Amino acid sequence: MAGEALARAAQLWSLLDEMAENEPRAYRRLLRQQRAEAERLYAPPEPHLCLRARPAGAAGRPLFINVCSWKRVPAPKAPTDPTPVSAGPLEVVSGEGDLYSIIDIAYNPDVLQRGEENPEKKKHLIHLTLKFVEERCNLNLSYLYTIESFKLKGSLEMMQQRLKGKQMPTPHLSHNTTKELTLDQLLHSMEAEDCSSAPVLLKEESVTQSKVHLIEEISSTEMPQNLSTPVYEMITVKDANKKPLKIELKIELPKVSSVSECDLRISKDDIIIEVPEKYKLQLDLPELVDEETTTAVFNKGKQVLFITVAVAKPDP
């Protein structure tokens, strides 16, 4: 196992060295893409606002809900799509002579920003948050809540650790949480650190108040991801009279080891190449093509996919 890992690492460095020497612009573009993705994944959650709620119908200890902003949580792809959210555990805390409960909820920054720009959206998001906490923690909350003057109940470090699902440190130990990212970590950032808290999707309630599931649980492997756009080069081959003959497409896939991982779909005017959890590329073709003539060859050594397709003949 260790030998295989070392061999893969050596192959990776060899490919990167080759890219850096032969295609420096593509190499720099790859590093920028991976660095941006790694920064998104490693960015810690930040406090946004704190809600104070209580159980419905009877006096009980207060519940503080830290609503946080976290770039790792994806934004909805469309306004009508469910809202992804990540949550930490519900904890009971003894402080200042009182008992209270606390839970941390994280949304994508864009979701929270829309709430700040539109009071109705903010109110609706708070309503969804309370419903989510009720269902997740088996509580019955009063919908009379307070937005506290402070953004966070408790310490910043403990909130971030709860959301990330890490083991709580003992009170007298100090931890250096700064991590230096190596190039290998950057290239494998999607696999290097996974969100241990199970993400969920918050669904909008129907206007008719029919019975619908507000919360849809999904596994961590199903958490929506931003797939990388691979480096590519597309050229149109023409004859001596400058008449288009065929289209050649070269796609660099440094994370792919076999053509079986690739899903290729081509129509008369566009092409889609997708590698699950890694890459997605969708291109409009410069000419109408005959998709039946498509050929695809994957060079394992260079980890490059070559696609050739003939330009469609004009209708007689």
Side-chain angles (χ1 to χ4, degrees), residues 278-289:
K278 295 178 182 178
Y279 300 109
K280 184 174 182 179
L281 178 66
Q282 182 169 0
L283 298 171
D284 292 326
L285 298 173
E287 305 286 345
L288 295 179
V289 299

Side-chain angles (χ1 to χ4, degrees), residues 11 15 18 253-254 256-261 297-306:
Q11 182 187 26
L15 289 169
E18 181 180 340
L253 302 170
V256 176
S257 58
S258 171
V259 70
S260 62
E261 298 179 52
V297 178
F298 183 72
N299 187 315
K300 285 189 176 182
K302 295 184 177 181
Q303 291 177 294
V304 174
L305 180 64
F306 297 93

Side-chain angles (χ1 to χ4, degrees), residues 10 82 133 151 175 257 261 263 278 293 299:
V133 172
K151 292 185 177 181
H175 287 255
S257 58
E261 298 179 52
D263 180 20
K278 295 178 182 178
T293 66
N299 187 315

Side-chain angles (χ1 to χ4, degrees), residues 15-24 27:
L15 289 169
L16 289 174
D17 289 341
E18 181 180 340
M19 179 184 289
E21 181 178 353
N22 299 328
E23 300 178 81
Y27 176 75

Side-chain angles (χ1 to χ4, degrees), residues 96-305:
E96 302 176 357
D98 294 324
L99 277 177
Y100 60 88
S101 301
I102 188 170
I103 189 170
D104 310 292
I105 306 294
Y107 295 100
N108 182 274
D110 291 344
V111 173
L112 296 174
Q113 181 60 34
R114 286 194 290 270
E116 292 302 316
E117 296 170 354
N118 187 321
E120 286 301 316
K121 288 185 178 180
K122 182 176 182 178
K123 182 178 179 180
H124 185 62
L125 183 63
I126 290 174
H127 172 72
L128 287 178
T129 301
L130 293 173
K131 287 291 292 182
F132 167 64
V133 172
E134 279 189 322
E135 295 197 14
R136 184 180 180 89
C137 304
N138 195 25
L139 298 174
N140 184 21
L141 297 177
S142 166
Y143 282 86
L144 296 176
Y145 61 85
T146 302
I147 299 178
E148 297 287 359
S149 58
F150 48 85
K151 292 185 177 181
L152 179 71
K153 184 69 173 179
S155 74
L156 178 65
E157 181 183 7
M158 294 295 282
M159 175 273 287
Q160 292 175 343
Q161 289 174 333
R162 285 191 296 261
L163 279 173
K164 291 180 180 180
K166 295 181 179 179
Q167 184 177 2
M168 296 298 109
T170 56
H172 303 291
L173 295 180
S174 63
H175 287 255
N176 180 9
T177 58
T178 303
K179 296 181 179 179
E180 182 178 356
L181 302 182
T182 66
L183 180 59
D184 185 62
Q185 285 173 314
L186 288 173
L187 291 176
H188 296 279
S189 59
M190 293 299 291
E191 296 84 12
E193 181 172 329
D194 188 21
C195 183
S196 59
S197 300
V200 298
L201 299 177
L202 297 184
K203 289 186 173 180
E204 303 288 342
E205 290 180 297
S206 69
V207 294
T208 59
Q209 299 297 314
S210 59
K211 289 189 176 180
V212 295
H213 291 291
L214 180 68
I215 309 248
E216 178 185 348
E217 297 280 349
I218 59 174
S219 68
S220 59
T221 57
E222 295 173 326
M223 188 171 184
Q225 300 177 359
N226 293 324
L227 302 180
S228 299
T229 300
V231 176
Y232 69 92
E233 179 182 2
M234 182 165 56
I235 62 173
T236 301
V237 179
K238 301 179 181 180
D239 63 11
N241 297 321
K242 296 187 178 181
K243 178 182 177 181
L245 295 178
K246 61 182 178 180
I247 295 173
E248 294 181 346
L249 181 60
K250 174 186 174 185
I251 308 164
E252 300 176 18
L253 302 170
K255 294 182 182 179
V256 176
S257 58
S258 171
V259 70
S260 62
E261 298 179 52
C262 304
D263 180 20
L264 171 63
R265 285 163 283 171
I266 186 167
S267 67
K268 290 184 180 296
D269 56 4
D270 74 350
I271 186 170
I272 300 174
I273 300 95
E274 189 168 2
V275 181
E277 302 180 6
K278 295 178 182 178
Y279 300 109
K280 184 174 182 179
L281 178 66
Q282 182 169 0
L283 298 171
D284 292 326
L285 298 173
E287 305 286 345
L288 295 179
V289 299
D290 180 4
E291 57 264 48
E292 299 297 328
T293 66
T294 304
T295 61
V297 178
F298 183 72
N299 187 315
K300 285 189 176 182
K302 295 184 177 181
Q303 291 177 294
V304 174
L305 180 64

